[in-house]
Amino acid sequence: MIRQNLSLAVLAFLALMVFLTPAQSSELLRFKVYLDEKPIGEHSFSIAGDMDSQRVSSQARFDIDFLFINAYRYRHSSHEVFRNGCLKEIQATTDDNGEQYRVMGRSSGTGFRIDHQDGSERADGCLMTFAYWNPDVLDQRQLLNSQTGELEQVRVSDQGREAIEVDGREVEANRYALTTDELVIDLWYNDSLGWVGLSSDAGKGRRINYRRM
């Protein structure tokens, strides 16, 4: 029933695409996740290091109930190493309502090798995941999907400045639209707080929303 009313692929896709701003040597960032206005879980991120080298860990837990039954369950865990803004290592596992995914990757002298359930891929140059914590992600044309291991082509456009709620108060933020082959993901960045929000269409007129806590 839920699958007929909501594109769960959207939820899974968004869940694995988020990390935090490297402002301190150690930091924790938490987002409450909503389906429209209904809370369905949380996505938390921790980072250690500096601008030259960061270790980022991400944990996502979503549950959608229907008629008192857990109709959809999502769990995602990712550990990534960045050096000078470029991905050097990744280990990620995902349980998408019973469907299991595993992604492993490492850079070498010949590029970045990505191993996933459907085989292997190789990327050249400075590779990034959907690492919204780093504003450089807005300049990329290709990003790594850390659930499937696929390389996604993206486009980014500036949508202007507007107010957004952060932990119960409104702040001014710059809004950007990041477009993939399947989704348009709205992102908000505050001058001092960095990345503060995310929203995307989930099908049937519903939306997935990330609100920073």
Side-chain angles (χ1 to χ4, degrees), residues 79-81 83 87-91 105-107 112:
H79 303 279
E80 304 180 11
V81 177
R83 291 194 179 92
L87 183 67
K88 296 301 179 182
E89 298 178 24
I90 181 172
Q91 296 184 33
R106 181 182 294 269
S107 64
F112 194 95

Side-chain angles (χ1 to χ4, degrees), residues 32-85:
K32 197 79 171 179
V33 182
Y34 296 80
L35 176 60
D36 292 330
E37 295 301 316
K38 179 181 179 181
I40 59 173
E42 184 176 320
H43 204 154
S44 63
F45 314 86
S46 63
I47 189 170
D50 53 29
M51 287 297 294
D52 295 330
S53 179
Q54 303 98 34
R55 292 182 176 272
V56 183
S57 296
S58 167
Q59 304 289 331
R61 299 174 61 89
F62 306 148
D63 292 282
I64 299 177
D65 297 329
F66 182 73
L67 296 179
F68 307 104
I69 298 173
N70 183 260
Y72 178 71
R73 179 181 184 272
Y74 182 87
R75 303 290 185 268
H76 176 77
S77 176
S78 180
H79 303 279
E80 304 180 11
V81 177
F82 291 85
R83 291 194 179 92
N84 297 317

